[in-house]
Amino acid sequence: MVDGKVGAPPACEVARKVSSRRSAFWAALALLLGLIGSSHAAPFDDLFTDEKNWTEVPPSPPNPVSNPDLVNFYVSPASSFRFSVDAKSITLGKDGVVHYTLVGVSD
């Protein structure tokens, strides 16, 4: 009710409600992301301990690259090279390491 008349609330009241809802949303999102990030901190640290006896299996030499098997990918507008990966060369070793052949061609 504005000046004794029934009608829509003033625009400033609507703007305040929308603004406070947005602020509450962003605060809740920041809190949620903070909780998620802190719960995963310990396992991430465990990845870098020296207690594991892991060794990389020596890679075998790559096969000759065939042009039709190359998959191009974009790197940066600042690069003067075009990059590709030989799709047939992508393998997963017994040690869990991914091996692939990267081809870089100067423009």
Side-chain angles (χ1 to χ4, degrees), residues 65-72 84-88 101-103 105:
V65 176
S66 176
N67 207 18
D69 298 329
L70 293 178
V71 179
N72 299 325
S84 306
V85 171
D86 183 10
K88 289 187 177 179
T101 301
L102 176 70
V103 178
V105 179

Side-chain angles (χ1 to χ4, degrees), residues 56-64 89 91 93 95 99-101:
E56 183 178 355
V57 176
S60 59
N63 293 326
S89 72
T91 57
D95 54 2
H99 297 272
Y100 56 89
T101 301

